[in-house]
Amino acid sequence: MKKLILSFSAVMLTAITYAQVVVAGISPTSVLGNYDFTIADWGSSPTLSQPGQYVQGELAIAVDDDTQPWPASSLACNINITPVDTTTGILNSVSGKIAVVYRGACNFSQKALNCQLAGAIAVIIVNSQGAPIAMGGGALGGLITIPTVMISTNDGNFLAALAEQEPVTMFIGNKTGLYTNDIGFYPSGVRKAYHSTTPSYVAADATEYNIPLGGRVLNFGSAAPAGATFSAVITDPSGAEVYNNSVNLTLGVGPDEQVVDLPDFSMASYPSGTYTLTYTADIAAGDDETSDNAYTTTFSISDDQWGYAQMDTTNMPSGWNYYRGSSTQTEFIVCSNLRNDNASRLVAEGIYFSATSADSLDNEEILLTLFEWADVFVDVNDPMIDFTTLNEVASGYYTFGNGEEYMTVYGEFDSPAVLEDGKRYLACAYTGSPIYFGFEADGDLTWNYGIYQQPICPVKLDGTWYFDGFGNDVTAAMTLKVSENDANVTELPSINGTAYPNPASDKVNIALNTTGKAIITVTDISGKVVLSTNNEFNGSEMAISIANFENGLYIFNVRMENGQTAQFNVVKN
């Protein structure tokens, strides 16, 4: 274990901010990466803002009530404030370790002092309600001399559960200049699928479904990294690679950052199932500290679900963390905001979700409702955003049976509802009891939220709506069950036509037995869109230039404005 606040005087950098301070997992491999956090700044408490200042050590859950399970066991509040009690209330050994405690019941500085008195070298406070927040010092802030940070509920629960099973080592500090070659990024700083689960009925091809990719890469190193790249790789449900793109980075000496845009991911058609997206930041000569160089997430094309939640191995949303408003709540509603320009192809049938309770869920009744969110607003910055016009579209109840805590369950609407194109919907679960609803383990959509500026998972607590819910890094483990709207499906005759010459080297002529406006989309065999153009067929053939295409097989997809389609495979040589 490396002792705290080790300084490297040789590093001569100024203009250092907390942006270069990181909370990072070191071991085991499952914890590798950076974690979003806030850090206490109470005067005497170290902010680790200078290059090379850090703490690294093993996690120890600070237990002050061994009659309770986590997190009630670890509030670290057993200490007097006036007069200050110098006898720690921690029951287990945290000496020389990074103490982990849970938010609640007393001031942050009271928790930190308790752990400091017990010999901890740093404190991680796990937020009880989503993303980390600013921490006030209270009456004891001036006594704290060890670093104190807060991390999100999702991250904290994950680390605490793992630390109870095996040693977990974390790094808290300023990486700037600590290593020569050191770039990285945060999971909250990359783009992901807008909806982690999208119905196949509204994702027919590249014109209906694509994913913009990219993110923000940071240089913590003391050198400008030569040959640095940022890449994304996507594999389809079969495991085949269907996307692989990278860009060269031009990062200067750290601290520095670069926002990167990669080509959009798209395919001519999307097989149903779960896709895996992996981002990687690399340096040609090697990165000296790799905990924050890669991140993997998933998205799915589903035949029966729609939402922000990722699918587990059983093709269901899975609750990892469970939140409620308070122990005295009398109204708690968790929703997912859903909208699609082709939503009329869908019929809403019910909601998948999960919940738990401090006692038992047996006979607990949950109201499930799909609302049309008819309030008129542009985005979350619009002062007109409100929840005053929620029109019920469908509803039903789910009554829990014995032993269904933490299980993903399905509640069916009394009557299915056909959706409409372009309208906002809220799929919601309601309880009047102090129960917890399930949220994802990896649901950080902070970068998406910053780009799209649309509500993700609003919540309502005791009469008040919060359009940001518990934070944009906290995604409800909830999906809307959908089916295809057969009444909206019209069988159109196929288009007869030809594409010639084939093989071709300069241009391809497309001749169709129809007229009208069309979108022609050309993809390579990996599914990457290489050309998309609007054209009009008037009875004569259409010439498409392929002179700049690389040699290989290309798929030409033609979609007429009336919905008719044609497809041609063409070889460029």
Side-chain angles (χ1 to χ4, degrees), residues 202-222:
V202 295
D205 55 32
T207 66
E208 294 184 358
Y209 183 81
N210 60 79
I211 304 176
L213 298 172
R216 179 176 59 202
V217 184
L218 306 170
N219 182 25
F220 303 103
S222 60

Side-chain angles (χ1 to χ4, degrees), residues 530-552:
V530 297
L531 177 68
S532 182
T533 179
N534 294 309
N535 299 89
E536 185 167 359
F537 289 89
N538 54 17
S540 60
E541 62 191 32
M542 181 74 60
I544 304 295
S545 174
I546 62 170
N548 295 326
F549 290 12
E550 295 182 359
N551 291 345

Side-chain angles (χ1 to χ4, degrees), residues 79-98:
I79 191 172
N80 294 323
I81 297 179
T82 306
V84 174
D85 186 349
T86 58
T87 303
T88 177
I90 305 302
L91 302 179
N92 61 316
S93 175
V94 296
S95 180
K97 299 181 179 181
I98 299 174

